[in-house]
Structure formats: structure tokens, C-alpha cells
Amino acid sequence: MAKISNLKSPAIAGVVKKRNVKEDVMNILIKNGKVWNGERFLFSDVFIRDKKIEKVEPQITSDADFVYDATGEIVSAGLIDMHTHLSGISCESFGTDPDLSCIPFGVCYAMDCGAAFGNKEFAQNFILKTKVFSPVAIKNNHISTETVRKMMNEYGEKLIGIKVCFDDSQCDARGVTPLLEARDFASANNLKIMVHCTSSPVKMTEIAKVLRKGDIITHPYHGGKNSSSDNNFEALKIAKEKGIIIDSGLAGHVHTDFGILKKALNLGLIPDTISTDITCKSAYVRGGKYGMTMCMSIFKDLGMNEEDIFRSVTSGAAKAACIENEAGYLLPGRLADISVFKYDNEKYDLTDNWSHQRVFSDKSYKCTMTICNGAVVYRR
């Protein structure tokens, strides 16, 4: 068990809301951890002064108000979730509490991928840092940008892209026309596109051919029609060659066929970003404590190496969201967003809805501490 000493002010247990709370400024020393700095692992201490990372080096002896012994734990740059649905931003039937669904899982930054409500000021009211994608409606095989234009005004620079639900079970999409229109709109407004591709009306290769470098395909390992596994995963190979972001959009067992995911990983077609697609329907109820740590554990158990896993939820996600200047790295001079993890006894058990493949383990990642903006905001 991690040891804590030299604590001059009360430890913060659980998640503390940011609203109307004056944060204490503490000097924090994290000792003996396996540090993931966004690029590589190293064994080092981390010292935080005045909310910023001052040192990342072995055997730091600086005086601290809060000393945390991370022996046997991973000390990572704060995690980034590329696909979430947050209360007050996404629709009420999907939105989940931003802080409670992210902070206890080590996530310091998240992208809401259904922003049809709220505004910039509302989104700044959480501990969690956010950017948003606004949905594009598809009717009669054409897009409607009414909601996006409204959200562009409400969120300003926080809106980084549009989300296209290219799923003929949920919208009237009959061909590639809506994607072409969305690409033209995104290009004209300097936005990214994220495409939900389950039950796509066209082959995945057509989606990959339409999208631009830096655009995003989410739920690529689904088991529905027009799967990415067709023709030996040709669509994912095209996407990788073009620089299109492959986002897992795991959604627990809902949008992922674990058999297809396993085959893709064996071919080296790993995701650029691991994300949860967490909603109020999934938080804490899918096969265990559903959140980013479970998603990371699934990828570990299916064969993805730890370096690639942590890259996909830190620097890889930061590059995908174009926020690498403010997030994704644990480096001196940066604002301290840091998450600490054990790989320990934490069961999960999921069977997918597509091919009924089961993934389970008695061990998984669990977050033991989250620091946002240089303050301890969660501790287990």
C-alpha cells in the first residue's frame, strides 16, 4: 500500500468539486515510481511546486507538503479520453457526470463527442478539462449543420470538431454523400471529423478514402456490417497510411467485437487513442467499474504492450486533439496533471454483443491518485 507522509493539510479523499472551492497550493513529491512521461518509461521521482512540475529525476530531496510513495506504481501524465458523453453537454439520455466518470480513472482531459447543449463557461465549471465535438444530423442522405453552428458560437475554441453518426440504424444515410458534405463543412471551418462507423451504409474503405489526415474513425473494431475486418482490415491499413486517427471508442461490450479487436492487434493495427465512450448507461455498470482503467486493461489482456497503451491515452490522444502543448506529457515546466496507477486485484468481466467473445481478468489497472492543475483531486 502506498505510504503518505509529511502532510500539512488534509488529504483530499474521493473527488472534490471545483465549484466555489479555493484550491490549496501544495508542494508535492511523488517518490519511487515508474514514470510515463508521454514518450517513455523511466524510474524517477516527480516534484511539483506551485502547481507546476519542477523536477523529474531520481532521488529528489526537496521539502514537500505532501509525499507519496509510488513504489510498484505507474506515475503517468494525466490521461486523455478522446470519446465521452458528459452531463449538460451531450444529450440528457447519455450524459454522465464529468468529474465522477473521469477523475477516479486518472482522466484529466476529455472530449465530449455529442455537444448539443451547454457552453464554454459551463464546461469550465469542472475539475475535468474539456474540448467538444458537436453532432451533425443526417436527414434524407444529407447533413444538417444547424446544431454545429450554434455550438461553434457557444463553445468557441473549445469546439474542435464535428461528430458524424454514420450508422443507418440511427440516421437516414444511404451512401457516402453525407460524409463528403461533412468533410467540406469541416474543411471550411477548420474542424476535425469524428465518424461513428458501426452499421455503416458503405464499406469502411470508402470512409477511410473520404477522411483527411487527422480526422478520426471511432468504434473501428465493431462487429456489424461493413466491418473493418473485411479484406484483412484493408480500411484500417488505408487509414494508418493517410494519418487518420483510429480511436477505439470501446463502449465496453457495445461497440466492440473482442474477436475482431484481437485479430487487429495481432496484425499491429493498434488504436492511436484508447477511449471509453462512457455514458450514464455505462459508468460503473459494465462488467466492473467501467472507465478508462478497464479499457486499458482490456487492451493489455488482448496483447497490446504497456508503452503503446499509455501513449494512446496521453501523448497520442493529445496529438489527436491538437492539445499537445498543454496535455499528454509529464515534463518539467508543465502544469501538473498526473495520474498514478497500480496493476492489481481489480476484476472485470465483459462479453461483447457481436460475436459473444468474453474478456475477463482478476487483475487490472486501478487509479490510486489523480492530480489536476497541481492539486490532489482524487485518492484511493
Side-chain angles (χ1 to χ4, degrees), residues 3-270:
K3 300 177 180 63
I4 299 171
S5 63
N6 299 336
L7 193 59
K8 295 181 181 178
S9 59
I12 303 169
V15 176
V16 179
K17 289 292 183 181
K18 183 176 174 181
R19 306 174 188 86
N20 302 317
V21 175
K22 183 177 179 181
E23 296 174 347
D24 290 331
V25 177
M26 294 192 295
N27 295 339
I28 301 170
L29 178 58
I30 304 173
K31 298 283 293 180
N32 307 318
K34 179 183 177 183
V35 172
W36 173 255
N37 67 7
E39 298 173 338
R40 63 190 180 96
F41 283 112
L42 59 152
F43 287 93
S44 188
D45 297 344
V46 179
F47 183 66
I48 300 164
R49 186 193 299 276
D50 297 333
K51 299 187 178 183
K52 289 190 175 182
I53 300 166
E54 184 174 278
K55 299 177 186 177
V56 182
E57 57 191 53
Q59 303 300 315
I60 295 175
T61 57
S62 304
D63 288 338
D65 304 299
F66 180 13
V67 179
Y68 185 94
D69 184 353
T71 299
E73 301 186 28
I74 294 173
V75 180
S76 172
L79 305 193
I80 302 165
D81 193 339
M82 277 297 297
H83 193 155
T84 66
H85 292 276
L86 307 175
S87 294
I89 301 177
S90 280
C91 65
E92 187 175 324
S93 60
F94 283 100
T96 188
D97 185 282
D99 291 334
L100 294 179
S101 62
C102 292
I103 299 296
F105 301 96
V107 175
C108 298
Y109 217 128
M111 312 301 132
D112 179 280
C113 295
F117 303 97
N119 53 45
K120 181 178 179 179
E121 288 70 29
F122 175 81
Q124 289 171 334
N125 204 33
F126 309 116
I127 298 171
L128 184 72
K129 299 169 187 176
T130 57
K131 299 280 188 183
V132 302
F133 287 77
S134 187
V136 168
I138 299 176
K139 299 176 182 178
N140 298 319
N141 207 39
H142 292 283
I143 67 167
S144 169
T145 60
E146 180 181 355
T147 298
V148 177
R149 293 181 187 279
K150 180 181 177 183
M151 292 299 101
M152 288 169 67
N153 290 329
E154 295 290 351
Y155 282 98
E157 75 283 355
K158 271 188 171 290
L159 191 145
I160 62 172
I162 58 176
K163 168 81 173 296
V164 181
C165 185
F166 201 51
D167 181 333
D168 64 10
S169 70
Q170 299 185 41
C171 68
D172 186 16
R174 300 185 298 275
V176 78
T177 297
L179 278 188
L180 294 169
E181 293 175 348
R183 183 186 64 187
D184 291 345
F185 177 84
S187 295
N189 290 279
N190 194 30
L191 297 171
K192 288 177 169 284
I193 307 172
M194 177 182 281
V195 178
H196 166 125
C197 63
T198 61
S199 193
S200 165
V202 302
K203 292 184 180 298
M204 284 280 289
T205 50
E206 291 192 54
I207 296 175
K209 289 174 182 176
V210 168
L211 295 184
R212 310 157 299 170
K213 179 179 181 180
D215 286 338
I216 303 160
I217 295 176
T218 192
H219 315 311
Y221 308 110
H222 71 84
K225 69 178 184 179
N226 291 320
S227 165
S228 65
S229 64
D230 294 346
N231 297 319
N232 198 30
F233 294 93
E234 180 187 6
L236 295 190
K237 293 173 184 176
I238 293 171
K240 289 282 188 181
E241 289 172 3
K242 289 183 68 176
I244 295 166
I245 306 301
I246 304 300
D247 171 59
S248 73
L250 206 64
H253 56 279
V254 176
H255 290 316
T256 305
D257 181 315
F258 295 138
I260 288 175
L261 173 56
K262 176 71 172 176
K263 290 177 183 177
L265 296 180
N266 287 342
L267 290 172
L269 296 170
I270 65 174

Side-chain angles (χ1 to χ4, degrees), residues 267-306:
L267 290 172
L269 296 170
I270 65 174
D272 298 291
T273 58
I274 293 175
S275 67
T276 63
D277 188 19
I278 198 165
T279 70
C280 60
K281 300 178 187 295
S282 60
Y284 298 99
V285 298
R286 284 184 178 160
K289 295 178 180 177
Y290 184 71
M292 182 61 88
T293 48
M294 186 191 293
C295 294
M296 294 163 63
S297 302
I298 289 170
F299 277 89
K300 181 179 177 70
D301 288 326
L302 290 180
M304 191 168 169
N305 73 54
E306 195 163 64

Side-chain angles (χ1 to χ4, degrees), residues 35-40 76-77 310-311 314-316 328-331:
V35 172
W36 173 255
N37 67 7
E39 298 173 338
R40 63 190 180 96
S76 172
F310 274 87
R311 183 177 294 108
T314 56
S315 57
Y329 296 88
L330 196 164
L331 299 170

